[in-house]
Every structure is written in C-alpha cells, then in structure tokens.
Amino acid sequence: MTDPGLPLAGMCVVEVSSFVAAPLGGMTLAQLGAEVIRIDPLGGAPDHHRWPLAPSGTSLYWAGLNKGKKSASVDLRSAEGQQLVTRLITDSGPDGGIVLTNSVGRDWLSYDALVPHRPDLIHVQIEGHHDGTPAVDYTVNAAVGFPMVTGPEGHADPVNHVLPAWDIACGLYSALGILGADRQRRVSGRGQRMSVALYDVALAAAGNLGFLAEAQVSRVVRKRYGNYLYGGFARDFTTRDGGRVMVVALTKRHWADLLTATELVDVVGALEKSLGVDFASEDDRFEYREVLAGLLSRWFSRADLAGVKAALAGTSLLWSTYNTFTDLVADTGEGPEIAGNPMMALIDQPGVGPHLAPGLPVSLDGSSPRPVRAPVLGEHTDDLLGRLGLSGGEIADLHERGVVRGTDG
Amino acid sequence: MTDPGLPLAGMCVVEVSSFVAAPLGGMTLAQLGAEVIRIDPLGGAPDHHRWPLAPSGTSLYWAGLNKGKKSASVDLRSAEGQQLVTRLITDSGPDGGIVLTNSVGRDWLSYDALVPHRPDLIHVQIEGHHDGTPAVDYTVNAAVGFPMVTGPEGHADPVNHVLPAWDIACGLYSALGILGADRQRRVSGRGQRMSVALYDVALAAAGNLGFLAEAQVSRVVRKRYGNYLYGGFARDFTTRDGGRVMVVALTKRHWADLLTATELVDVVGALEKSLGVDFASEDDRFEYREVLAGLLSRWFSRADLAGVKAALAGTSLLWSTYNTFTDLVADTGEGPEIAGNPMMALIDQPGVGPHLAPGLPVSLDGSSPRPVRAPVLGEHTDDLLGRLGLSGGEIADLHERGVVRGTDG
C-alpha cells in the first residue's frame, strides 16, 4: 500500500528496467507515493547480482535502487508473459498507464505497441544515445569531457568518476518527464511519448554549466586543477595528524573569516599590497591560488584536526573533513554518525539484514518519507496477477508452465 | 511566453536563487513549459560573475543555468522590495504560488511568512544540511566518501569531482518535489512545504548505490580502482597513436565480442582453463581484471585509434573514445560534432554571442524542446511589475528610488 498522504498517491507506474537510471527514477516516484511495479524476466535482469554484495551474495545495489517497489517476475520472451505485462500497464486505472523502461529490443513494450491499448499512455524510454545506440555511464562520461579535467594537476590520464552521476541525473530527468506528462494528461487528457538519452543528459550538463561555451566561445582549453575550485578559492588541506579538510571561500566574508582563523590577515594583506591585487576578488584568489594555498597549508600542517575543527567551527567558512564510507557507518559510541540523520532509518532487507537506508532526500512538511525495503524478486507476482482478475487456478497454471515466477527464483 | 503545448504550460514558479542547484531546478521546469521568474538582488546574486566567463566577462555559467527564465532585479533588503516579490509569488494565478529558493536568512521569503498570503503555497527550500547549516557541493562531496574512492589506484589524496554532481541531483530533486506537490494540490487543494538538503542528496546516493550498506553490512573498506569498473570488467586503454578508449563489458555477449575483436579468444580460453575460472562471470572478470587488462592493453597499444574504432564498431561492446570539451566543439569540416545532436541549437546570448546550447535532455513526442537564451539581469522587471497592476509612473518611481532595476544593472 502506498501512503495516501504522499504527493503521488494513486499513481501507478510499471518499470521494466535494470541498472541505475530507470530503477532510480522509478524508486523516486515510489518514494513520493506512487505504486511502482518493477517487472523482471525470470531469474532477474542483468543487474540482479550487481556489486556491491552482502555476505549472502544478495546485491546491495539492487536492494538499494528498488526500495519501496513491487516486483513481478515474468517470462518476457513468451507472448503470454508479454500480454500479462501489457495488461498490468494498460488496466491500471486512470492514474496508471505509465511506463518507465531502459529495455531495448522489446517491440511489444514500445510506445507504438502499447498506445492502441491505452490512448493516454505515458511512456519514457531511457536509451544510450538519441539514435537508439547503446551507452552506459562510463562510456558517456568518457565521451563528454569530464574525465579529462578531473583528478590531480599534471596527471596525464583520464580520471573516471566512481559516482554514476549521469545515471542518477538521467533517472531523475525521467521521473520529471513522467510528472510533467501526468500534469499534462490531467489538464488535457493526452498522453506522452518521451525518451531520455544518457549521453544527452551528460552533454546538457556540460552545456548548462558553461563548459561547452567556454571551449566554443572563449576558446579556453580547460585543464586539470586538482581539488582547486575553478575561478575562486577552495582546496583540500592536510593537518599535522593526517586529517584532511576541504575548505571553500566563495564570498568576501568566507575569505575574511578564513584569513582570521588561520592568522594570515597581516601576511596576506602585505602580499596584496606588494602584488597590487585584491584577494577579496574571486578572480585574484584563483590567479594566486597556489601562493595562497601555500600559506594556508603551513597553518593546517601545524595544527591537528581537532584544532582545525575548533578554529573553523565558529566561522562563516564552508568546510568539511573528508570521510570514507566506513567512517560514515562507524560506531561512534552512540551508533554511526549517519544514524542521526532524519532521512536515514533501519530497514530489514531479506538477504541483507537490518541496515541504515536513506529515504527520499526531500522533506515534506518537515519530515522525509521513510525508506521501505526492496521487494524480493517475484514477491508480488501473484498479487498483481490477481488484480488482473486471474483466479488461483489460472495463476498456478502460469507458474506451472513457467510463464511467471514467485520468490522461488 | 511559454509554449502552450509543453507539459507545464501555465505553471508559474518564482525562484530566488544562486549557483547551480536551485537555478537548474527552475530551468528544468522552464524547459518543461513553466514560467520561471528568477528574482535577483540589485547587481545580481553572488553567482552573477561566476566562471567560466565569455571574453566580454559575461558569465557562461549564469547564462547556461538560467536559460528560458524571466529576470527581475529588486532591492531585497527593502520592505518595499520584499512586498513586491511576495506579491509576484502570491498573486500568480491558480497555477502559481510556487517558490524555489536556496536563499537563507530571508525570513520574509520563508514558508511561514508567505503561507498566510497564499494558503496553497508550494515552497521548496534548498539548504546545505537538514538542520539549516550551510554546505556546498565541494564540502558535501568531501563529507560523503566519493573522493576517497575516485582517482588513480594507489593515489593517496582525495580526488574531488569537477562535475557538481550533487548540485545537479539536488536541483532535479527540488523540481520533482514541486511537480509532486503540484499534483497533490490539484487533487486536494493543499500546498506543501519542502526542503532538500544537499548533504542528504549525496548521502541518499551513497545509500541507494549500496556504498553505505557495503561498509556497514559487508564491512568492506572500499579502495580506489582507478578506471576499472567495480565488480565487472571495464577500463580505459591507450592506442599506438595516443588515442584513449573506454571499454565496458557488462554482459557475456559484450565479453565474447571483446575477445573476438581483440583476437584473444584462444589465449583467454587457455587462461581460464589453467586457472580454473570462468570469465563469462563478472566476478571472475573483476578478480582477474589486471591480467585481462594486461592482455587487452597489448592489443590496443599495437593498433591505432582508427583501427580500434573499426574493430569495435560492429560489436555489441559498449565503448567510447575520450573527448575534451574542445573536441566536442571543434569544427570537423561540417561544424562541431555536437551540432548534429537534435538537443543542441544555436542561441544568441547577450554578452556571449551565438553559440550551441542544450535544450531539455528529454525528448517529447520525438523532439527536444529547443533552448531559449537566458535573460539579462532585470530584463523583465517592468513587465512583471506591470502585471501586478502598477502604472508606468509607479514603476518609474520604484526605479528612481532604487527599489528595482532594469537591464541597467
């Protein structure tokens, strides 16, 4: 049951998906209150055993990206299985008729195949490129330029991101497309055929942030600046005891506070005067970043992490220590640090056990919708077939003939 | 005018924003058809001159993140200016009353201050942390673990991403919150108070992808794997002539095609037999990734880029060359490669000139909504005041007294 108080209560989305983008898009709609039914082929899609894994072998990745959904397991190669999924899509009430998929090569699941059965169909096809050729986060990332400007200064090789940022953005864009189309359908009754290409998501980001125009209009050949902030002042510093701190001075006030905290007001003032520059200006801070970082790093390297934290705590400055994932879940004596975050809650996932999981990172009326565990593959197969009006005997027959499966595989 | 055929036609959003997240959220709603009014203080918010810049000094970043919006420039410290913005928010028709902001410390702009004037208010506050303490992409990134697993193997220092991935996701989540709340308001008439914390967006991603559970449940201390794919086989390779190619083998078919294309079927088959492993399994491919990459890199280093492209072109394999931003905009004789992408179109931005800009990376009924240039600061101030019923004389008086500005600053 979805929570009737959530924004998307009543909406029903069928997802035929794998990996990150489509599952995240669907999960986000589920977190906002929609009923989201993930359809998998018998035995699961290729992401069903994707790393990272729990000690039991259960995929933490699959469990993390499919929280709060229903799961049906169907032989998608059989005409009968295809017809059942088609009915789940089309016979789903006025707030249903919504498909989110990254599946390719399944003609029966296309907009054109489904729309005769559901004229107000809302259909989102996630694809690699707009022409339908395949791509994944790693190839799109290589194609669009970011690995050539990421990583240590002077490093010669591309540095790929580990965060699948394009998949995440693509999934969120696909959910936005669905909600936009749902609004239009409420106003006008018409459905919508949409596609979101992973490559286009990445190219749009490069354009929106000015990277493409900088190359095209300003003819700047962007290089690597390590952990410096381009066009301003930010960098990481190491403390005497090996602590690592990221420090960001975006505004004049940040900069003034940083100089005061690090006892560099006079030294930097004298430097400004002798150079004839103004470090209150971001341009000058970036131009002289190495000089400024050199002075600052002396202060950081003489202090221990506790001292740095104490000195920066009362300031306006933007700063953070660097954490590992292990740091975030380490028991501090009062449980892990992240357990205090109101978005996080314990869920008990079959094959994983109790662990902290995030809910929706959007707080509604002051609280985040709580996380709901992921289904086990095929957990809702029978319920969903029952909803289509099939009798217990008919459902048993479908199992017998291998058209559908429950949690037994 | 917004396009009446777009999904969000009629919706009106007021944005008091800066930097990436809130502006991108608003721009995405504008690209889907909403009227989005960005309010700036006189002279612009702190992002108005953010790098990268055009040769004229115009910010390509600001221009890129505010496309298709209206701009009003108002003295936000004056009570009169605050009242005008309040009226723009509240007197905006049944599909208005929507605020998107990352501004802090402006009590008059809070949900509680505005809701008495507009009971069905939809209000999204973007913040650093859920407790209201500030953070930016760079500090959140440090806090949440990804820089410690990104970058070359064996590298000791954190590697920050250059793509502000958390800002992008945060902006898209905020737009999703607005569309969810808009749907709920249509159904029930009630508004919604929302907040999206940048840190929570990052923490949720770390949780959704299984990174947190891997540390907590599996007690794996994740390390850097360079450009290898965790738990599968993917890596970058260098060709004889210095070309760089990212290669991803996710499925058995990809792997088989990669071995065939690189003439390694027999060698890898013999290796499998002698080691007693099965490289059709992703786990084994990851376990022996260095051995496999060593064999593959010999083939890549003997071929030139054109030969590699020819060998991989007909296969199922996922692969891409690495490009720089300059490569993407370089004239290939028939204009830049990206000019052929149907999402990209020429816009003529004041202070920048004609350049290729992305539209929405969601195609609707087969085509992407075209990009619309960003406003000049204050370009719509007078139009918007006129909409509130102010006369020409009253508007001139507001200019005179410095409460509002047009494009003169």
Side-chain angles (χ1 to χ4, degrees):
Chain A
M1 280 290 85
T2 63
D3 180 341
L6 287 175
L8 303 185
M11 177 180 278
C12 179
V13 179
V14 172
E15 185 194 302
V16 185
S17 69
S18 56
F19 298 108
V20 179
L24 179 73
M27 183 168 76
T28 306
L29 297 174
Q31 290 172 320
L32 281 164
E35 177 182 61
V36 178
I37 301 166
R38 175 165 165 160
I39 308 285
D40 277 279
L42 303 181
D47 59 341
H48 194 233
H49 298 290
R50 189 94 200 80
W51 287 31
L53 304 177
S56 68
T58 298
S59 171
L60 298 167
Y61 171 102
W62 200 96
L65 288 162
N66 293 288
K67 293 192 295 287
K69 297 180 189 173
K70 292 185 170 156
S71 169
S73 189
V74 181
D75 178 3
L76 299 177
R77 288 167 308 184
S78 74
E80 211 172 347
Q82 295 168 9
Q83 281 157 15
L84 289 168
V85 175
T86 299
R87 286 190 57 204
L88 282 173
I89 293 166
T90 58
D91 302 359
S92 47
D95 285 342
I98 305 175
V99 179
L100 170 58
T101 187
N102 66 319
S103 175
V104 290
R106 291 191 170 119
D107 285 344
W108 61 273
L109 191 62
S110 68
Y111 177 84
D112 289 341
L114 294 170
V115 75
H117 305 285
R118 178 88 197 206
D120 66 348
L121 182 72
I122 292 173
H123 189 283
V124 178
Q125 176 73 53
I126 292 179
E127 50 196 4
H129 295 277
H130 64 85
D131 61 3
T133 54
V136 288
D137 191 281
Y138 321 96
T139 59
V140 158
N141 194 41
V144 95
F146 288 94
M148 303 308 279
V149 296
T150 301
E153 286 190 274
H155 189 72
D157 299 324
V159 174
N160 292 4
H161 57 207
V162 170
L163 173 75
W166 307 123
D167 278 335
I168 290 175
C170 184
L172 297 175
Y173 272 115
S174 70
L176 275 165
I178 286 174
L179 294 192
D182 172 69
R183 182 179 185 277
Q184 191 167 34
R185 187 167 71 173
R186 284 174 174 270
V187 172
S188 70
R190 63 173 287 220
Q192 183 67 259
R193 171 172 65 100
M194 290 172 281
S195 59
V196 187
L198 191 64
Y199 176 80
D200 288 357
V201 166
L203 190 65
N208 293 337
L209 294 163
F211 286 83
L212 297 179
E214 184 182 38
Q216 195 186 17
V217 178
S218 308
R219 299 185 179 278
V220 169
V221 178
R222 185 73 167 260
K223 59 185 195 95
R224 286 190 170 86
Y225 293 107
N227 290 348
Y228 284 109
L229 165 66
Y230 187 55
F233 189 82
R235 220 199 72 170
D236 59 311
F237 294 96
T238 305
T239 64
R240 189 178 59 200
D241 52 346
R244 290 180 181 283
V245 186
M246 180 71 195
V247 174
V248 183
L250 286 182
T251 65
K252 287 178 189 181
R253 189 171 160 219
H254 295 157
W255 180 244
D257 276 12
L258 178 59
L259 295 185
T260 303
T262 56
E263 299 158 20
L264 282 170
V265 175
D266 293 343
V267 172
V268 169
L271 190 64
E272 273 177 318
K273 209 168 279 178
S274 64
L275 290 168
V277 298
D278 175 13
F279 292 133
S281 138
E282 285 204 275
D283 297 9
D284 284 349
R285 288 205 291 274
F286 182 66
E287 183 69 28
Y288 287 90
R289 64 191 176 279
E290 284 157 334
V291 178
L292 297 170
L295 290 168
L296 287 162
S297 65
R298 291 179 55 83
W299 182 85
F300 281 93
S301 67
R302 286 196 305 261
D304 59 18
L305 185 59
V308 166
K309 285 181 173 181
L312 301 184
T315 71
S316 70
L317 199 69
L318 299 158
W319 64 279
S320 172
T321 53
Y322 280 87
N323 293 313
T324 64
F325 300 116
T326 298
D327 291 336
L328 292 173
V329 301
D331 197 329
T332 59
E334 299 168 353
E337 180 194 324
I338 58 170
N341 187 302
M343 177 186 68
M344 302 296 294
L346 270 180
I347 59 173
D348 191 357
Q349 182 71 41
V352 178
H355 66 287
L356 282 167
L360 182 70
V362 178
S363 141
L364 304 170
D365 278 335
S367 66
S368 297
R370 285 178 65 87
V372 177
R373 74 163 173 84
V376 176
L377 197 68
E379 182 172 345
H380 304 93
T381 302
D382 291 1
D383 282 355
L384 292 164
L385 293 174
R387 196 192 289 185
L388 294 179
L390 274 69
S391 69
E394 289 169 320
I395 293 171
D397 179 59
L398 287 169
H399 280 272
E400 186 75 23
R401 291 187 291 109
V403 179
V404 303
R405 270 195 212 151
T407 55
D408 51 332
Chain B
M1 281 291 85
T2 62
D3 181 340
L6 288 175
L8 304 185
M11 177 180 280
C12 179
V13 179
V14 173
E15 184 193 304
V16 185
S17 69
S18 56
F19 297 109
V20 179
L24 179 73
M27 183 169 77
T28 306
L29 297 174
Q31 289 172 319
L32 282 164
E35 177 183 59
V36 178
I37 301 167
R38 175 163 167 163
I39 309 285
D40 277 279
L42 303 181
D47 59 340
H48 194 233
H49 298 291
R50 189 95 199 81
W51 287 32
L53 305 177
S56 69
T58 297
S59 171
L60 297 167
Y61 171 103
W62 200 95
L65 289 162
N66 293 286
K67 293 192 294 286
K69 297 181 191 173
K70 291 183 173 159
S71 168
S73 187
V74 181
D75 178 3
L76 298 176
R77 288 167 308 182
S78 74
E80 212 172 346
Q82 294 168 9
Q83 283 156 14
L84 289 169
V85 175
T86 299
R87 287 190 57 203
L88 282 173
I89 294 166
T90 58
D91 302 359
S92 45
D95 285 342
I98 305 176
V99 179
L100 171 58
T101 186
N102 66 318
S103 176
V104 291
R106 291 191 171 117
D107 286 344
W108 62 272
L109 191 63
S110 68
Y111 178 84
D112 289 340
L114 293 169
V115 76
H117 305 285
R118 178 88 198 207
D120 67 348
L121 182 73
I122 292 173
H123 189 283
V124 179
Q125 176 73 54
I126 292 180
E127 52 198 2
H129 295 277
H130 64 85
D131 62 4
T133 54
V136 289
D137 190 280
Y138 321 97
T139 58
V140 158
N141 195 40
V144 95
F146 288 94
M148 304 308 281
V149 297
T150 301
E153 286 191 272
H155 189 70
D157 300 323
V159 175
N160 292 2
H161 57 207
V162 170
L163 174 74
W166 307 123
D167 277 335
I168 289 174
C170 184
L172 297 175
Y173 272 116
S174 70
L176 275 165
I178 286 174
L179 294 192
D182 172 70
R183 181 180 186 278
Q184 191 167 32
R185 187 166 73 172
R186 284 175 175 270
V187 172
S188 70
R190 64 172 288 219
Q192 185 65 261
R193 172 172 65 102
M194 291 173 279
S195 59
V196 188
L198 191 64
Y199 175 80
D200 288 357
V201 166
L203 190 65
N208 293 338
L209 294 163
F211 286 84
L212 297 180
E214 184 182 40
Q216 195 186 15
V217 178
S218 308
R219 299 186 180 276
V220 169
V221 178
R222 185 73 167 260
K223 60 185 195 95
R224 286 190 171 85
Y225 293 107
N227 290 347
Y228 284 110
L229 166 66
Y230 187 57
F233 188 82
R235 220 197 72 168
D236 58 312
F237 293 96
T238 305
T239 64
R240 189 178 59 198
D241 51 347
R244 290 181 180 286
V245 186
M246 180 72 197
V247 174
V248 183
L250 287 182
T251 65
K252 289 178 188 180
R253 187 170 163 221
H254 295 157
W255 180 244
D257 277 11
L258 177 59
L259 295 184
T260 304
T262 57
E263 299 157 21
L264 282 169
V265 175
D266 294 342
V267 172
V268 169
L271 190 65
E272 272 177 318
K273 208 167 280 178
S274 64
L275 290 168
V277 297
D278 175 13
F279 293 133
S281 137
E282 284 204 275
D283 298 8
D284 285 349
R285 288 204 292 274
F286 182 65
E287 183 68 29
Y288 287 90
R289 65 191 176 279
E290 284 156 336
V291 178
L292 297 169
L295 290 169
L296 288 162
S297 65
R298 291 179 56 83
W299 182 85
F300 281 93
S301 68
R302 286 196 304 262
D304 58 18
L305 184 59
V308 167
K309 285 181 173 184
L312 301 184
T315 70
S316 70
L317 199 69
L318 299 158
W319 63 279
S320 173
T321 54
Y322 281 87
N323 293 314
T324 64
F325 300 116
T326 298
D327 291 337
L328 292 173
V329 301
D331 198 330
T332 58
E334 298 167 352
E337 180 195 322
I338 57 170
N341 187 302
M343 177 186 68
M344 302 295 293
L346 270 181
I347 59 172
D348 192 357
Q349 183 69 40
V352 178
H355 67 286
L356 282 167
L360 182 71
V362 179
S363 140
L364 305 170
D365 278 335
S367 66
S368 298
R370 283 179 65 87
V372 176
R373 74 162 174 86
V376 176
L377 196 67
E379 183 172 346
H380 305 92
T381 302
D382 291 1
D383 282 356
L384 292 164
L385 294 174
R387 194 193 288 185
L388 294 179
L390 275 68
S391 69
E394 288 169 320
I395 294 171
D397 178 60
L398 287 169
H399 281 272
E400 185 76 21
R401 291 187 291 111
V403 179
V404 303
R405 271 194 212 152
T407 54
D408 50 333

